[in-house]
Amino acid sequence: MFAPLPDKPDHDGLERAILDVWEREQTFARLRAKNADGPRFSFIDGPVTANKGLAVHTAWGRTLKDVFQRYKALRGCHQRYQNGFDCQGLWIEVGVERALGLNSKREIEEYGLAEFARKCRDVVVWSAQELTRGSIRLGQWMDWGNDYFTFSDTNIEYIWRFLRIVHDRGWLVMGHRSTEWCPRCGTSISAHELHGSYVDRVDPSLDVRFRLLERPGEAIVIWTTTPWTLPANVAAAVDPDAEYGRLESGDWVAVARSPHETFVERLPGSALVGWRYEGPFDALGPGAGVEHRVIPWTDVSMDDGTGIVHIAPGCGSEDFELSRALGLDVLTPVDEAGRFYPEYGWLHGLSTVEAADQIIGDLEERGLLVEARTHEHRYPECWRCHTPLIFRLADDWFITVDEIRQQLLDANATVEWTPAYMGKRMDDWLRNMGDWNISRRRYYGLPLPIYPCSCGHVNVIGSRAELEARALSGLEQLEELRRPWIDEVPIACERCGEEVRRIPEVGDVWLDAGIVPFSTLGWQNDTYVPGGYATGAARGLTNADLPDHATWEQWFPADWVSEMREQIRLWFYSQLFMSVALSGQAPFRRVLGYEKMLDEHGKEMHGSWGNMIDASDAFTRMGADVMRWQYCAQPPDRNLLFGFGPGQEIKRKLLTLWNSARFLVDYGNVESFTPLLRDLERGPEGDVQPLDRWLVARTQTLVQEATGGYERWLTVDVVRAFEAFVDDVSNWYIRRSRRRFWEGDAIALRTLWYALVQGLRVISPVMPFLSEHLWRTLVSGACADAPASIFLAGWPEPVDPDAALLAEVAELRRVVALGHQARQSSGRKVRQPLRRIVVEGAPLAAAHADEIRDELRVKAVEFGAVDATELRVKPHLPALGPRLGRELGAVRAALQAGDFEELGGGRFRAAGHELGPDEVLVERSGKEGWAVAAEDGVTVALEIVLDEELEREGRVYDLIHQVNSMRKDAGLELTDRIELTLPATDADLLEHAEWIRAETLAVAVEADGGTVAIAKA
């Protein structure tokens, strides 16, 4: 006997109950023990930033990771299941600043770096707990409690070792460059961090005069959308090959940018090169010492502006590179906070945004402003705090890439990317990437172990042991390898012996995450250290071990990793770079990437827009299984539109599965049915009917399709295959077998049980809770020797299905679908019996004539040529006209007269010309008294003329449907008997009283009432 199932599942309650069962029975631990000697499947978890609770977009990635780890576990694979937390960087810092009401780096330093670091750690601790709680609720199985935290001293030491190696190779350099800078955070930004950080923005758009010194009354006119950069101007660039003209006003612009203007003088750009002009803000001081002149630049754009480019090397990367090539001066007008230095006079202390209006006003007062308007464009913002970025000259530490670039490309060529285009994007990034800016002027991050000495030597520390050996003081207060404590540990220069101190910068956070395949697996570590990863800030938060090098060799590289597409330039890149540098190979064999999540209407999710969905709310309102289904049904190359609306649609789909299982439970319990576990091997044996053999084959096909989907890392293929399978079970097998279930057919019950259980096994990685609940209902609760959990049952063995039978039934269903189409076109409902159907072009369906008769409710089924149709063929003029030319008229006339020959395959011959299927338009219609439907070479014709006998039978079917609906509404059990009363006007239906009694479980049928009525007998 099965435990009964309610009308529909309470997903939230069901899932919480399953979580309790898993915890109580230690299901995950038993699974790991079961697979301990199995083949290894190595997965490296991309660390989730520990600054918040679980969000629905984070749950997407966590779901995909869990799905494939569950699948591999069902295939018997031994896995590590180590979760990771990203613990440092501006994501953490900015949140703490806001919580403390701090608004600048100065205020952080006044607050105290030690206390600030402790507050940042508190956020990580809280967030790690919340993320763990949310992930468990999602159904993610990981080795919770043995997580890696990127702020552990162990992780930091591994990065130090990496930096020491690249330093020894000569790749670690100090760069003096104009770089993207966040004035709010007071630090530079790496190029790979800019991906996805561009937003639509409206800025001032100015045309400004630069007065020429040797040509009185004349000026060149430049264009800019960054007024704050004008005080740093040193040059103006023209295209030497373009034509420039002087307007009557004396202003010089590119002729191509003002084609309708009248020019009094025209010159090539090369003639303007060398002209000197008065800088727009020389009066403020720094610009006065610069000789402003016109320079040549072939990259000057004629798509916008005036065709003359304002050059400020201290405020733009291209400008800076131009200054290095041409020996231009470089002015840096703003400090780390993006505010003007004192030497810029009345601009002192103003931010770049605040200065814009005052600069525009000043230019207008002095007659230098030609035009001011606005300009909408894509502009980068800080990915942490969303402040618009500026360019600023800074001294940053870089890892040069030229020597390793080809090695990175070669390594990426060994990786299997899904979708494939993401691998090509990685190639594009690797070919075009600049040097890696690894330094940040912040606090809560990896302390860069760089100690420059006044003697010119750069000391780079490679480990804590080396730090302790060379430290001159401060070790006693070194709580962890982090600011401010690390700043108080000076060392002796290895060249001259003088005391040197560490640079104040911290490292790019992607160093923290990129080293994980080495730090968590014990690369070059001699001894396995229990709890050895729980060091520094991670002490007390995890029990993770530090393995030895033999462990690294067993588990490296990862068989598979997965994150969003934006991680191509972030985590995937940092991993690849560090792995190739350290081991000469890619850190992963396969990658699954996926696109962005939007709300169900296609909009970005933002709290201020009211469309952000909290994961805990989603768990309550739709359940984790439904969330996981949304994630897994999504092709990875498209944006996911996530929401409660799609969730309701998924619940409706899953209800078909639930109802099929409930159908089995209800009818199985009536018959005291006990399933046989051995049926799961190849299906039931005994007196099986063709429909049973078809469902077994259909189930075997599902196992093959699902296995292929998982092996291709495409959950969407698994979901699509399962949805089609459930539809086939419900709308074909169960519907076609209802009478057998009614009669207690054991083979039908065994076949349906086999199909549903095998279906649950293959969908369980996607939908673990509902699958587990139904497994415990249908299998472990009914079979004494069955595994307690579906996840301890292993993967169903793929078996080649009966392809011939599947082809037969596919053709049968195509005939049935066309028959329903013909019925619909004629207005004959399915409950109305018809006299006959003629089928042409479906020879495989001939063996299933009885099923066609039942499905389409016809008295006779004939196979042969359909002559109950009228065929009309017209020329498809766009395709046929160019080929036939003058002959088209003759062909058209022949077709219209019906003077043509049908050749098969959609081809015809008319007027001596053979016409292909794409050159004609074919219309088939039934002759009077017939309804016809045709598709893909199959044609069916239904005789739709009714006689008195057929009409009466149609009324009986309507009555049976009505009575059984009344039974359901009255809450009667499947076996309850009734007394049935019909209206006196339906007395003629008593001719079929036995039929009516059998179909409604009526013990008596009378026709002496005013309406249809039932009463429990």
Side-chain angles (χ1 to χ4, degrees):
M1 296 286 285
F2 301 119
L5 294 174
D7 287 348
K8 58 184 179 181
D10 169 14
H11 288 278
D12 184 41
L14 179 154
E15 290 166 5
R16 291 182 182 278
I18 291 297
L19 288 172
D20 290 341
V21 169
W22 285 342
E23 178 68 23
R24 184 171 63 252
E25 297 182 0
Q26 292 294 291
T27 306
F28 180 48
R30 292 167 63 189
L31 173 66
R32 296 190 71 185
K34 178 175 179 285
N35 291 343
D37 296 326
R40 289 185 182 86
F41 175 69
S42 179
F43 164 73
I44 298 290
D45 182 37
V48 58
T49 303
N51 70 330
K52 57 189 177 305
L54 184 68
V56 291
H57 62 276
T58 307
W60 183 6
R62 307 224 118 195
T63 293
L64 293 177
K65 295 171 184 179
D66 185 61
V67 164
F68 288 103
Q69 288 190 109
R70 283 181 182 268
Y71 167 69
K72 289 295 184 179
L74 287 168
R75 302 305 299 262
C77 291
H78 175 39
Q79 301 176 69
R80 294 178 61 247
Y81 294 102
Q82 188 173 33
N83 174 74
F85 293 112
D86 209 357
C87 312
Q88 303 185 127
L90 276 172
W91 275 125
I92 314 293
E93 284 196 48
V94 170
V96 173
E97 283 183 70
R98 289 171 177 163
L100 295 175
L102 306 178
N103 294 306
S104 68
K105 292 169 68 174
R106 178 182 57 80
E107 292 182 6
I108 293 174
E109 292 173 1
E110 291 174 353
Y111 179 80
L113 295 190
E115 187 60 26
F116 185 75
R118 294 187 181 101
K119 292 290 186 184
C120 289
R121 184 182 185 274
D122 289 345
V123 168
V124 172
V125 173
W126 166 83
S127 175
Q129 293 170 345
E130 290 300 307
L131 287 165
T132 299
R133 184 179 297 111
S135 299
I136 291 172
R137 177 63 188 85
L138 180 67
Q140 186 179 20
W141 274 351
M142 295 293 268
D143 190 9
W144 307 112
N146 289 315
D147 319 84
Y148 72 81
F149 289 76
T150 60
F151 61 10
S152 78
D153 280 4
T154 303
N155 204 65
I156 290 171
E157 282 195 77
Y158 266 93
I159 303 169
W160 281 9
R161 191 183 312 182
F162 163 77
L163 293 174
R164 176 61 178 266
I165 289 171
V166 297
H167 171 64
D168 291 344
R169 293 177 185 172
W171 298 354
L172 185 64
V173 298
M174 164 71 79
H176 182 70
R177 310 180 186 186
S178 185
T179 185
E180 291 89 349
W181 188 275
C182 175
R184 160 64 180 75
C185 299
T187 190
S188 56
I189 305 290
S190 287
H192 59 252
E193 295 176 293
L194 291 176
H195 177 66
S197 297
Y198 281 79
V199 296
D200 291 325
R201 176 181 166 85
V202 177
D203 280 314
S205 173
L206 310 182
D207 292 347
V208 181
R209 290 188 181 94
F210 289 175
R211 290 183 177 133
L212 295 169
L213 295 179
E214 280 84 24
R215 299 175 74 99
E218 297 179 18
I220 54 174
V221 178
I222 63 90
W223 174 67
T224 184
T225 59
T226 51
W228 71 270
T229 64
L230 288 170
N233 172 267
V234 301
V238 296
D239 182 346
D241 298 323
E243 185 179 29
Y244 290 81
R246 176 166 58 88
L247 301 168
E248 291 185 1
S249 62
D251 293 338
W252 286 85
V253 296
V255 173
R257 294 298 304 148
S258 301
H260 304 299
E261 295 285 353
T262 300
F263 294 97
V264 297
E265 183 179 1
R266 296 184 183 224
L267 292 172
S270 57
L272 277 63
V273 172
W275 287 2
R276 296 187 308 126
Y277 62 88
E278 179 185 343
F281 288 96
D282 286 356
L284 294 181
V290 173
E291 182 180 68
H292 305 277
R293 54 190 170 90
V294 177
I295 61 172
W297 192 26
T298 56
D299 289 340
V300 170
S301 172
M302 294 296 165
D303 295 333
D304 46 29
T306 64
I308 304 178
V309 178
H310 144 64
I311 303 297
C315 308
S317 59
E318 287 184 320
D319 296 24
F320 183 75
E321 293 304 318
L322 202 58
S323 75
R324 296 173 71 174
L326 300 179
L328 304 178
D329 291 301
V330 179
L331 302 179
T332 303
V334 296
D335 61 17
E336 289 188 357
R339 296 185 177 276
F340 279 87
Y341 284 116
E343 52 265 38
Y344 283 85
W346 52 268
L347 290 172
H348 172 222
L350 295 179
S351 70
T352 56
V353 175
E354 294 165 345
D357 287 342
Q358 296 198 36
I359 287 173
I360 294 170
D362 180 71
L363 292 170
E364 187 171 23
E365 288 178 8
R366 293 189 285 131
L368 299 182
L369 184 65
V370 178
E371 185 178 359
R373 52 197 179 278
T374 58
H375 176 70
E376 183 174 351
H377 58 155
R378 301 284 289 170
Y379 195 86
E381 64 178 16
C382 177
W383 60 277
R384 299 98 162 184
C385 68
H386 302 294
T387 300
L389 300 181
I390 63 174
F391 275 89
R392 184 175 178 276
L393 199 64
D395 292 333
D396 286 317
W397 288 89
F398 292 82
I399 300 175
T400 59
V401 301
D402 285 343
E403 281 191 41
I404 199 175
R405 190 186 306 276
Q406 188 56 50
Q407 298 174 58
L408 293 171
L409 287 163
D410 293 342
N412 189 49
T414 69
V415 178
E416 176 188 310
W417 286 82
T418 304
Y421 70 83
M422 292 192 183
K424 294 181 175 63
R425 291 195 178 185
M426 175 62 91
D427 269 348
D428 291 342
W429 169 251
L430 296 175
R431 287 191 177 92
N432 297 291
M433 65 184 181
D435 294 341
W436 184 356
N437 182 343
I438 63 166
S439 60
R440 304 290 183 271
R441 289 169 170 77
R442 293 298 299 188
Y443 308 103
Y444 198 70
L446 160 80
L448 292 175
I450 303 172
Y451 295 74
C453 183
S454 58
C455 73
H457 182 66
V458 176
N459 299 268
V460 177
I461 296 294
S463 67
R464 184 182 184 117
E466 183 184 358
L467 176 70
E468 292 175 350
R470 295 175 59 184
L472 298 178
S473 63
L475 290 177
E476 71 286 348
Q477 56 81 57
L478 189 59
E479 294 186 16
E480 55 195 61
L481 299 181
R482 168 178 322 289
R483 300 190 71 186
W485 305 286
I486 189 71
D487 297 340
E488 301 305 318
V489 183
I491 66 170
C493 175
E494 62 185 345
R495 174 179 292 176
C496 71
E498 290 296 314
E499 177 179 297
V500 288
R501 290 188 173 269
R502 194 190 71 84
I503 61 173
E505 286 87 347
V506 297
D508 179 4
V509 292
W510 298 108
L511 290 167
D512 299 354
I515 200 64
V516 162
F518 296 85
S519 64
T520 61
L521 295 175
W523 178 69
Q524 292 191 354
N525 186 47
D526 294 333
T527 306
Y528 196 108
V529 183
Y533 203 90
T535 54
R539 187 175 291 110
L541 301 182
T542 178
N543 298 312
D545 300 335
L546 174 60
D548 54 17
H549 189 75
T551 304
W552 180 82
E553 290 181 329
Q554 291 174 337
W555 293 95
F556 182 91
D559 293 304
W560 180 77
V561 294
S562 177
E563 295 293 339
M564 291 180 68
R565 173 173 55 84
E566 65 183 21
Q567 296 297 333
I568 290 172
R569 293 171 174 84
L570 299 171
W571 187 55
F572 294 144
Y573 167 63
S574 64
Q575 274 192 96
L576 184 67
F577 191 107
M578 299 174 88
S579 178
V580 170
L582 296 178
S583 70
Q585 62 179 316
F588 34 70
R589 294 187 175 97
R590 302 172 192 85
V591 178
L592 171 63
Y594 50 95
E595 293 291 342
K596 294 175 61 176
M597 178 187 290
L598 306 173
D599 76 4
E600 60 189 272
H601 305 294
K603 292 180 60 179
E604 297 272 1
M605 286 187 177
H606 292 289
S608 60
W609 294 353
N611 64 347
M612 182 67 76
I613 298 176
D614 183 72
S616 60
D617 188 31
F619 290 140
T620 301
R621 292 179 58 184
M622 69 174 86
D625 274 339
V626 174
M627 294 169 65
R628 293 169 68 110
W629 197 276
Q630 282 199 65
Y631 301 141
C632 293
Q634 180 64 25
D637 59 348
R638 302 173 208 167
N639 292 334
L640 167 61
L641 306 186
F642 183 89
F644 292 110
Q648 286 300 118
E649 177 62 20
I650 291 168
K651 281 187 174 182
R652 186 190 63 76
K653 289 181 179 180
L654 295 181
L655 196 57
T656 303
L657 169 66
W658 181 267
N659 287 338
S660 298
R662 185 165 168 260
F663 180 90
L664 172 64
V665 166
D666 289 348
Y667 279 91
N669 285 344
V670 168
E671 298 300 322
S672 299
F673 168 66
T674 299
L676 303 175
L677 200 61
R678 66 173 183 269
D679 281 351
L680 294 181
E681 294 178 10
R682 287 183 176 269
E685 298 174 345
D687 188 18
V688 294
Q689 297 187 15
L691 191 58
D692 304 322
R693 291 192 294 107
W694 169 80
L695 184 57
V696 170
R698 181 67 184 85
T699 305
Q700 292 166 346
T701 299
L702 169 68
V703 173
Q704 284 189 340
E705 291 174 342
T707 303
Y710 287 121
E711 292 295 333
R712 292 189 300 274
W713 314 101
L714 291 174
T715 55
V716 60
D717 290 352
V718 177
V719 169
R720 287 171 176 169
F722 186 76
E723 287 180 345
F725 170 76
V726 170
D727 182 69
D728 285 350
V729 170
S730 174
N731 292 322
W732 190 254
Y733 185 79
I734 291 178
R735 188 170 54 77
R736 292 283 310 125
S737 306
R738 279 189 180 274
R739 181 169 298 281
R740 296 173 63 199
F741 289 112
W742 189 274
E743 295 171 351
D745 188 320
I747 293 295
L749 289 167
R750 288 170 62 188
T751 303
L752 180 57
W753 179 84
Y754 161 80
L756 289 176
V757 171
Q758 296 295 73
L760 292 172
R761 293 172 75 185
V762 300
I763 203 61
S764 61
V766 171
M767 188 177 63
F769 295 104
L770 197 62
S771 300
E772 181 75 289
H773 179 78
L774 292 177
W775 171 273
R776 289 171 183 268
T777 300
L778 300 178
V779 185
S780 62
C783 301
D785 52 347
S789 169
I790 195 170
F791 296 103
L792 298 175
W795 190 251
E797 191 66 33
V799 177
D800 289 334
D802 186 338
L805 178 59
L806 289 171
E808 280 185 22
V809 176
E811 191 158 280
L812 157 67
R813 297 182 71 181
R814 192 154 53 243
V815 169
V816 169
L818 288 172
H820 285 303
Q821 184 180 325
R823 269 188 174 274
Q824 187 174 19
S825 68
S826 68
R828 298 296 190 214
K829 58 188 178 183
V830 177
R831 287 196 292 273
Q832 174 59 63
L834 299 175
R835 186 60 58 192
R836 63 173 170 152
I837 184 174
V838 180
V839 180
E840 179 182 346
L844 297 179
H848 301 272
D850 289 344
E851 292 165 84
I852 295 173
R853 183 182 301 110
D854 291 343
E855 274 292 305
L856 296 177
R857 205 153 283 168
V858 294
K859 298 295 184 180
V861 180
E862 300 175 8
F863 285 84
V866 172
D867 60 2
T869 62
E870 294 180 353
L871 177 63
R872 295 184 181 88
V873 182
K874 299 177 183 178
H876 186 212
L877 298 179
L880 203 53
R883 182 167 77 85
L884 295 184
R886 295 179 179 178
E887 294 293 313
L888 178 62
V891 170
R892 175 189 281 177
L895 291 176
Q896 189 171 2
D899 185 13
F900 56 81
E901 178 186 358
E902 189 170 2
L903 301 177
R907 297 174 300 113
F908 296 84
R909 180 178 290 113
H913 293 278
E914 184 174 321
L915 313 178
D918 59 336
E919 296 177 320
V920 292
L921 303 174
V922 180
E923 297 176 0
R924 292 183 186 270
S925 60
K927 295 178 180 178
E928 186 172 352
W930 292 84
V932 177
E935 186 177 76
D936 297 332
V938 178
T939 303
V940 302
L942 278 171
E943 186 177 0
I944 57 176
V945 177
L946 301 180
D947 55 30
E948 186 176 328
E949 178 189 355
L950 291 173
E951 288 179 340
R952 186 180 300 113
E953 287 185 16
R955 289 167 57 209
V956 172
Y957 277 114
D958 285 342
L959 173 65
I960 292 170
H961 175 76
Q962 179 183 0
V963 172
N964 284 330
S965 296
M966 294 171 70
R967 286 178 58 97
K968 184 177 181 181
D969 293 342
L972 297 180
E973 297 294 333
L974 289 174
T975 55
D976 286 342
R977 303 288 169 166
I978 63 170
E979 294 177 350
L980 174 60
T981 303
L982 306 183
T985 54
D986 285 343
D988 61 327
L989 300 186
L990 294 179
E991 175 185 338
H992 299 289
E994 286 302 318
W995 175 16
I996 296 170
R997 277 196 290 269
E999 294 295 331
T1000 63
L1001 289 187
V1003 296
V1005 182
E1006 305 292 341
D1008 56 5
T1011 60
V1012 177
I1014 65 171
K1016 187 175 179 180

